[in-house]
mmCIF file with all atom_site columns, all heavy atoms in Angstrom:
data_model
loop_
_atom_site.group_PDB
_atom_site.id
_atom_site.type_symbol
_atom_site.label_atom_id
_atom_site.label_alt_id
_atom_site.label_comp_id
_atom_site.label_asym_id
_atom_site.label_entity_id
_atom_site.label_seq_id
_atom_site.pdbx_PDB_ins_code
_atom_site.Cartn_x
_atom_site.Cartn_y
_atom_site.Cartn_z
_atom_site.occupancy
_atom_site.B_iso_or_equiv
_atom_site.pdbx_formal_charge
_atom_site.auth_seq_id
_atom_site.auth_comp_id
_atom_site.auth_asym_id
_atom_site.auth_atom_id
_atom_site.pdbx_PDB_model_num
ATOM 1   N N   . GLU A 1 16 ? 3.312  -50.053 -9.766  1.00 0.00 ? 1056 GLU A N   1
ATOM 2   C CA  . GLU A 1 16 ? 2.723  -49.222 -8.730  1.00 0.00 ? 1056 GLU A CA  1
ATOM 3   C C   . GLU A 1 16 ? 3.014  -49.774 -7.337  1.00 0.00 ? 1056 GLU A C   1
ATOM 4   O O   . GLU A 1 16 ? 3.316  -49.026 -6.406  1.00 0.00 ? 1056 GLU A O   1
ATOM 5   C CB  . GLU A 1 16 ? 1.211  -49.104 -8.953  1.00 0.00 ? 1056 GLU A CB  1
ATOM 6   C CG  . GLU A 1 16 ? 0.840  -48.272 -10.171 1.00 0.00 ? 1056 GLU A CG  1
ATOM 7   C CD  . GLU A 1 16 ? -0.664 -48.289 -10.434 1.00 0.00 ? 1056 GLU A CD  1
ATOM 8   O OE1 . GLU A 1 16 ? -1.364 -49.050 -9.729  1.00 0.00 ? 1056 GLU A OE1 1
ATOM 9   O OE2 . GLU A 1 16 ? -1.112 -47.556 -11.327 1.00 0.00 ? 1056 GLU A OE2 1
ATOM 10  N N   . ASN A 1 17 ? 2.938  -51.116 -7.199  1.00 0.00 ? 1057 ASN A N   1
ATOM 11  C CA  . ASN A 1 17 ? 3.235  -51.726 -5.908  1.00 0.00 ? 1057 ASN A CA  1
ATOM 12  C C   . ASN A 1 17 ? 4.694  -51.517 -5.523  1.00 0.00 ? 1057 ASN A C   1
ATOM 13  O O   . ASN A 1 17 ? 5.013  -51.271 -4.359  1.00 0.00 ? 1057 ASN A O   1
ATOM 14  C CB  . ASN A 1 17 ? 2.925  -53.232 -5.936  1.00 0.00 ? 1057 ASN A CB  1
ATOM 15  C CG  . ASN A 1 17 ? 1.429  -53.504 -6.023  1.00 0.00 ? 1057 ASN A CG  1
ATOM 16  O OD1 . ASN A 1 17 ? 0.623  -52.675 -5.629  1.00 0.00 ? 1057 ASN A OD1 1
ATOM 17  N ND2 . ASN A 1 17 ? 1.083  -54.662 -6.569  1.00 0.00 ? 1057 ASN A ND2 1
ATOM 18  N N   . LYS A 1 18 ? 5.592  -51.617 -6.507  1.00 0.00 ? 1058 LYS A N   1
ATOM 19  C CA  . LYS A 1 18 ? 7.012  -51.392 -6.242  1.00 0.00 ? 1058 LYS A CA  1
ATOM 20  C C   . LYS A 1 18 ? 7.258  -49.956 -5.813  1.00 0.00 ? 1058 LYS A C   1
ATOM 21  O O   . LYS A 1 18 ? 8.037  -49.680 -4.908  1.00 0.00 ? 1058 LYS A O   1
ATOM 22  C CB  . LYS A 1 18 ? 7.835  -51.715 -7.490  1.00 0.00 ? 1058 LYS A CB  1
ATOM 23  C CG  . LYS A 1 18 ? 9.344  -51.603 -7.266  1.00 0.00 ? 1058 LYS A CG  1
ATOM 24  C CD  . LYS A 1 18 ? 10.099 -52.000 -8.523  1.00 0.00 ? 1058 LYS A CD  1
ATOM 25  C CE  . LYS A 1 18 ? 11.609 -51.966 -8.286  1.00 0.00 ? 1058 LYS A CE  1
ATOM 26  N NZ  . LYS A 1 18 ? 12.083 -50.643 -7.884  1.00 0.00 ? 1058 LYS A NZ  1
ATOM 27  N N   . LEU A 1 19 ? 6.552  -49.006 -6.473  1.00 0.00 ? 1059 LEU A N   1
ATOM 28  C CA  . LEU A 1 19 ? 6.701  -47.600 -6.121  1.00 0.00 ? 1059 LEU A CA  1
ATOM 29  C C   . LEU A 1 19 ? 6.217  -47.344 -4.698  1.00 0.00 ? 1059 LEU A C   1
ATOM 30  O O   . LEU A 1 19 ? 6.855  -46.631 -3.931  1.00 0.00 ? 1059 LEU A O   1
ATOM 31  C CB  . LEU A 1 19 ? 5.908  -46.736 -7.109  1.00 0.00 ? 1059 LEU A CB  1
ATOM 32  C CG  . LEU A 1 19 ? 5.968  -45.212 -6.875  1.00 0.00 ? 1059 LEU A CG  1
ATOM 33  C CD1 . LEU A 1 19 ? 7.398  -44.718 -6.942  1.00 0.00 ? 1059 LEU A CD1 1
ATOM 34  C CD2 . LEU A 1 19 ? 5.097  -44.493 -7.893  1.00 0.00 ? 1059 LEU A CD2 1
ATOM 35  N N   . ASP A 1 20 ? 5.086  -47.977 -4.335  1.00 0.00 ? 1060 ASP A N   1
ATOM 36  C CA  . ASP A 1 20 ? 4.570  -47.831 -2.976  1.00 0.00 ? 1060 ASP A CA  1
ATOM 37  C C   . ASP A 1 20 ? 5.563  -48.369 -1.948  1.00 0.00 ? 1060 ASP A C   1
ATOM 38  O O   . ASP A 1 20 ? 5.768  -47.783 -0.890  1.00 0.00 ? 1060 ASP A O   1
ATOM 39  C CB  . ASP A 1 20 ? 3.231  -48.558 -2.821  1.00 0.00 ? 1060 ASP A CB  1
ATOM 40  C CG  . ASP A 1 20 ? 2.124  -47.870 -3.604  1.00 0.00 ? 1060 ASP A CG  1
ATOM 41  O OD1 . ASP A 1 20 ? 2.285  -46.669 -3.909  1.00 0.00 ? 1060 ASP A OD1 1
ATOM 42  O OD2 . ASP A 1 20 ? 1.106  -48.535 -3.905  1.00 0.00 ? 1060 ASP A OD2 1
ATOM 43  N N   . ASP A 1 21 ? 6.186  -49.513 -2.271  1.00 0.00 ? 1061 ASP A N   1
ATOM 44  C CA  . ASP A 1 21 ? 7.176  -50.088 -1.357  1.00 0.00 ? 1061 ASP A CA  1
ATOM 45  C C   . ASP A 1 21 ? 8.363  -49.164 -1.186  1.00 0.00 ? 1061 ASP A C   1
ATOM 46  O O   . ASP A 1 21 ? 8.880  -48.983 -0.078  1.00 0.00 ? 1061 ASP A O   1
ATOM 47  C CB  . ASP A 1 21 ? 7.661  -51.448 -1.877  1.00 0.00 ? 1061 ASP A CB  1
ATOM 48  C CG  . ASP A 1 21 ? 6.546  -52.499 -1.814  1.00 0.00 ? 1061 ASP A CG  1
ATOM 49  O OD1 . ASP A 1 21 ? 5.599  -52.278 -1.030  1.00 0.00 ? 1061 ASP A OD1 1
ATOM 50  O OD2 . ASP A 1 21 ? 6.645  -53.505 -2.548  1.00 0.00 ? 1061 ASP A OD2 1
ATOM 51  N N   . ASP A 1 22 ? 8.821  -48.555 -2.294  1.00 0.00 ? 1062 ASP A N   1
ATOM 52  C CA  . ASP A 1 22 ? 9.953  -47.635 -2.229  1.00 0.00 ? 1062 ASP A CA  1
ATOM 53  C C   . ASP A 1 22 ? 9.633  -46.435 -1.355  1.00 0.00 ? 1062 ASP A C   1
ATOM 54  O O   . ASP A 1 22 ? 10.463 -45.972 -0.570  1.00 0.00 ? 1062 ASP A O   1
ATOM 55  C CB  . ASP A 1 22 ? 10.341 -47.161 -3.637  1.00 0.00 ? 1062 ASP A CB  1
ATOM 56  C CG  . ASP A 1 22 ? 10.953 -48.287 -4.452  1.00 0.00 ? 1062 ASP A CG  1
ATOM 57  O OD1 . ASP A 1 22 ? 11.396 -49.279 -3.831  1.00 0.00 ? 1062 ASP A OD1 1
ATOM 58  O OD2 . ASP A 1 22 ? 10.975 -48.159 -5.693  1.00 0.00 ? 1062 ASP A OD2 1
ATOM 59  N N   . ILE A 1 23 ? 8.390  -45.925 -1.495  1.00 0.00 ? 1063 ILE A N   1
ATOM 60  C CA  . ILE A 1 23 ? 7.981  -44.771 -0.697  1.00 0.00 ? 1063 ILE A CA  1
ATOM 61  C C   . ILE A 1 23 ? 7.967  -45.122 0.778   1.00 0.00 ? 1063 ILE A C   1
ATOM 62  O O   . ILE A 1 23 ? 8.447  -44.379 1.627   1.00 0.00 ? 1063 ILE A O   1
ATOM 63  C CB  . ILE A 1 23 ? 6.599  -44.263 -1.148  1.00 0.00 ? 1063 ILE A CB  1
ATOM 64  C CG1 . ILE A 1 23 ? 6.708  -43.661 -2.549  1.00 0.00 ? 1063 ILE A CG1 1
ATOM 65  C CG2 . ILE A 1 23 ? 6.051  -43.217 -0.183  1.00 0.00 ? 1063 ILE A CG2 1
ATOM 66  C CD1 . ILE A 1 23 ? 5.372  -43.279 -3.152  1.00 0.00 ? 1063 ILE A CD1 1
ATOM 67  N N   . GLU A 1 24 ? 7.429  -46.320 1.108   1.00 0.00 ? 1064 GLU A N   1
ATOM 68  C CA  . GLU A 1 24 ? 7.375  -46.740 2.500   1.00 0.00 ? 1064 GLU A CA  1
ATOM 69  C C   . GLU A 1 24 ? 8.774  -46.909 3.074   1.00 0.00 ? 1064 GLU A C   1
ATOM 70  O O   . GLU A 1 24 ? 9.043  -46.553 4.218   1.00 0.00 ? 1064 GLU A O   1
ATOM 71  C CB  . GLU A 1 24 ? 6.593  -48.049 2.614   1.00 0.00 ? 1064 GLU A CB  1
ATOM 72  C CG  . GLU A 1 24 ? 5.094  -47.871 2.355   1.00 0.00 ? 1064 GLU A CG  1
ATOM 73  C CD  . GLU A 1 24 ? 4.365  -49.195 2.403   1.00 0.00 ? 1064 GLU A CD  1
ATOM 74  O OE1 . GLU A 1 24 ? 5.035  -50.218 2.664   1.00 0.00 ? 1064 GLU A OE1 1
ATOM 75  O OE2 . GLU A 1 24 ? 3.150  -49.209 2.166   1.00 0.00 ? 1064 GLU A OE2 1
ATOM 76  N N   . LEU A 1 25 ? 9.700  -47.439 2.261   1.00 0.00 ? 1065 LEU A N   1
ATOM 77  C CA  . LEU A 1 25 ? 11.058 -47.656 2.739   1.00 0.00 ? 1065 LEU A CA  1
ATOM 78  C C   . LEU A 1 25 ? 11.794 -46.336 2.967   1.00 0.00 ? 1065 LEU A C   1
ATOM 79  O O   . LEU A 1 25 ? 12.658 -46.257 3.828   1.00 0.00 ? 1065 LEU A O   1
ATOM 80  C CB  . LEU A 1 25 ? 11.837 -48.522 1.724   1.00 0.00 ? 1065 LEU A CB  1
ATOM 81  C CG  . LEU A 1 25 ? 11.404 -49.984 1.624   1.00 0.00 ? 1065 LEU A CG  1
ATOM 82  C CD1 . LEU A 1 25 ? 12.111 -50.654 0.452   1.00 0.00 ? 1065 LEU A CD1 1
ATOM 83  C CD2 . LEU A 1 25 ? 11.716 -50.719 2.939   1.00 0.00 ? 1065 LEU A CD2 1
ATOM 84  N N   . ASN A 1 26 ? 11.434 -45.299 2.187   1.00 0.00 ? 1066 ASN A N   1
ATOM 85  C CA  . ASN A 1 26 ? 12.159 -44.037 2.276   1.00 0.00 ? 1066 ASN A CA  1
ATOM 86  C C   . ASN A 1 26 ? 11.515 -43.029 3.216   1.00 0.00 ? 1066 ASN A C   1
ATOM 87  O O   . ASN A 1 26 ? 12.039 -41.937 3.401   1.00 0.00 ? 1066 ASN A O   1
ATOM 88  C CB  . ASN A 1 26 ? 12.274 -43.411 0.873   1.00 0.00 ? 1066 ASN A CB  1
ATOM 89  C CG  . ASN A 1 26 ? 13.183 -44.212 -0.029  1.00 0.00 ? 1066 ASN A CG  1
ATOM 90  O OD1 . ASN A 1 26 ? 14.117 -44.840 0.444   1.00 0.00 ? 1066 ASN A OD1 1
ATOM 91  N ND2 . ASN A 1 26 ? 12.891 -44.189 -1.325  1.00 0.00 ? 1066 ASN A ND2 1
ATOM 92  N N   . GLU A 1 27 ? 10.374 -43.381 3.799   1.00 0.00 ? 1067 GLU A N   1
ATOM 93  C CA  . GLU A 1 27 ? 9.681  -42.420 4.648   1.00 0.00 ? 1067 GLU A CA  1
ATOM 94  C C   . GLU A 1 27 ? 10.544 -41.969 5.819   1.00 0.00 ? 1067 GLU A C   1
ATOM 95  O O   . GLU A 1 27 ? 10.538 -40.804 6.201   1.00 0.00 ? 1067 GLU A O   1
ATOM 96  C CB  . GLU A 1 27 ? 8.369  -43.023 5.176   1.00 0.00 ? 1067 GLU A CB  1
ATOM 97  C CG  . GLU A 1 27 ? 7.232  -42.895 4.185   1.00 0.00 ? 1067 GLU A CG  1
ATOM 98  C CD  . GLU A 1 27 ? 5.939  -43.456 4.752   1.00 0.00 ? 1067 GLU A CD  1
ATOM 99  O OE1 . GLU A 1 27 ? 5.983  -44.106 5.817   1.00 0.00 ? 1067 GLU A OE1 1
ATOM 100 O OE2 . GLU A 1 27 ? 4.896  -43.240 4.122   1.00 0.00 ? 1067 GLU A OE2 1
ATOM 101 N N   . GLU A 1 28 ? 11.329 -42.900 6.413   1.00 0.00 ? 1068 GLU A N   1
ATOM 102 C CA  . GLU A 1 28 ? 12.139 -42.544 7.564   1.00 0.00 ? 1068 GLU A CA  1
ATOM 103 C C   . GLU A 1 28 ? 13.272 -41.601 7.185   1.00 0.00 ? 1068 GLU A C   1
ATOM 104 O O   . GLU A 1 28 ? 13.794 -40.885 8.032   1.00 0.00 ? 1068 GLU A O   1
ATOM 105 C CB  . GLU A 1 28 ? 12.705 -43.815 8.201   1.00 0.00 ? 1068 GLU A CB  1
ATOM 106 C CG  . GLU A 1 28 ? 11.631 -44.718 8.822   1.00 0.00 ? 1068 GLU A CG  1
ATOM 107 C CD  . GLU A 1 28 ? 12.234 -45.935 9.487   1.00 0.00 ? 1068 GLU A CD  1
ATOM 108 O OE1 . GLU A 1 28 ? 13.478 -46.088 9.416   1.00 0.00 ? 1068 GLU A OE1 1
ATOM 109 O OE2 . GLU A 1 28 ? 11.477 -46.736 10.063  1.00 0.00 ? 1068 GLU A OE2 1
ATOM 110 N N   . ASP A 1 29 ? 13.690 -41.632 5.914   1.00 0.00 ? 1069 ASP A N   1
ATOM 111 C CA  . ASP A 1 29 ? 14.787 -40.778 5.477   1.00 0.00 ? 1069 ASP A CA  1
ATOM 112 C C   . ASP A 1 29 ? 14.330 -39.395 5.076   1.00 0.00 ? 1069 ASP A C   1
ATOM 113 O O   . ASP A 1 29 ? 15.161 -38.509 4.865   1.00 0.00 ? 1069 ASP A O   1
ATOM 114 C CB  . ASP A 1 29 ? 15.511 -41.422 4.280   1.00 0.00 ? 1069 ASP A CB  1
ATOM 115 C CG  . ASP A 1 29 ? 16.117 -42.766 4.663   1.00 0.00 ? 1069 ASP A CG  1
ATOM 116 O OD1 . ASP A 1 29 ? 16.487 -42.923 5.846   1.00 0.00 ? 1069 ASP A OD1 1
ATOM 117 O OD2 . ASP A 1 29 ? 16.208 -43.639 3.784   1.00 0.00 ? 1069 ASP A OD2 1
ATOM 118 N N   . LEU A 1 30 ? 12.996 -39.180 4.935   1.00 0.00 ? 1070 LEU A N   1
ATOM 119 C CA  . LEU A 1 30 ? 12.492 -37.880 4.527   1.00 0.00 ? 1070 LEU A CA  1
ATOM 120 C C   . LEU A 1 30 ? 12.613 -36.877 5.664   1.00 0.00 ? 1070 LEU A C   1
ATOM 121 O O   . LEU A 1 30 ? 12.575 -37.252 6.843   1.00 0.00 ? 1070 LEU A O   1
ATOM 122 C CB  . LEU A 1 30 ? 11.020 -37.997 4.109   1.00 0.00 ? 1070 LEU A CB  1
ATOM 123 C CG  . LEU A 1 30 ? 10.734 -38.762 2.825   1.00 0.00 ? 1070 LEU A CG  1
ATOM 124 C CD1 . LEU A 1 30 ? 9.230  -38.920 2.635   1.00 0.00 ? 1070 LEU A CD1 1
ATOM 125 C CD2 . LEU A 1 30 ? 11.340 -38.063 1.623   1.00 0.00 ? 1070 LEU A CD2 1
#
Side-chain angles (χ1 to χ4, degrees):
E1056 290 175 354
N1057 291 336
K1058 184 177 183 301
L1059 180 59
D1060 291 339
D1061 292 339
D1062 291 341
I1063 292 173
E1064 290 177 2
L1065 290 172
N1066 292 330
E1067 277 182 350
E1068 294 182 357
D1069 298 330
L1070 291 174

